[in-house]
Amino acid sequence: MSQSTISALDKQLLLDALNRCVAACEHCATSCLAEEHVQHMVGCIRLDRDCADICALTARLVARGSEHARHIMKECIEVCQLCQNECGKHNDDHCQQCAAACKACADACRAYLG
């Protein structure tokens, strides 16, 4: 699917999912840092930060119609899946919300890629 055949609505839905994932990951990382046993959350925090960064980059590339968006989106899907899996291991609400946002983001990227 080329950039020209993607509707503005589809593009906006993808951007919304990417930006929700950025916010959820940032919130999760910050909340994990406040946990009593923060050393047990290091993997979660690292993935949250990586996921927020790749989603933000992907959103910028998609928004500007960059020819590199599709390539980066594949990496975004991979990192979102890793973050979803890690956050899904923890019972904290912020981790569960992050896992859900990561899943939704990866699904939106897959749908966009066709």
Side-chain angles (χ1 to χ4, degrees):
M1 185 180 302
S2 72
Q3 277 296 71
S4 60
T5 61
I6 297 167
S7 76
L9 178 60
D10 289 340
K11 187 174 181 179
Q12 189 58 56
L13 290 172
L14 174 61
L15 290 170
D16 290 346
L18 286 161
N19 288 317
R20 279 192 302 274
C21 195
V22 170
C25 288
E26 292 289 358
H27 174 70
C28 187
T30 299
S31 297
C32 285
L33 285 168
E35 294 286 335
E36 183 176 336
H37 300 289
V38 71
Q39 67 273 18
H40 295 282
M41 304 306 284
V42 169
C44 187
I45 294 164
R46 285 183 178 151
L47 275 170
D48 286 337
R49 294 177 68 211
D50 287 349
C51 193
D53 286 348
I54 193 75
C55 289
L57 173 61
T58 303
R60 287 193 302 275
L61 294 175
V62 167
R64 73 175 68 130
S66 172
E67 63 192 52
H68 303 287
R70 295 178 70 76
H71 170 74
I72 294 298
M73 204 175 301
K74 293 172 185 172
E75 184 68 19
C76 186
I77 291 167
E78 182 179 327
V79 175
C80 281
Q81 289 174 323
L82 291 170
C83 193
Q84 174 192 350
N85 292 341
E86 178 61 32
C87 286
K89 295 177 187 177
H90 307 287
N91 292 326
D92 304 291
D93 283 342
H94 57 86
C95 286
Q96 292 300 309
Q97 290 171 7
C98 187
C102 289
K103 180 185 184 324
C105 188
D107 290 346
C109 287
R110 277 191 212 91
Y112 189 85
L113 288 174

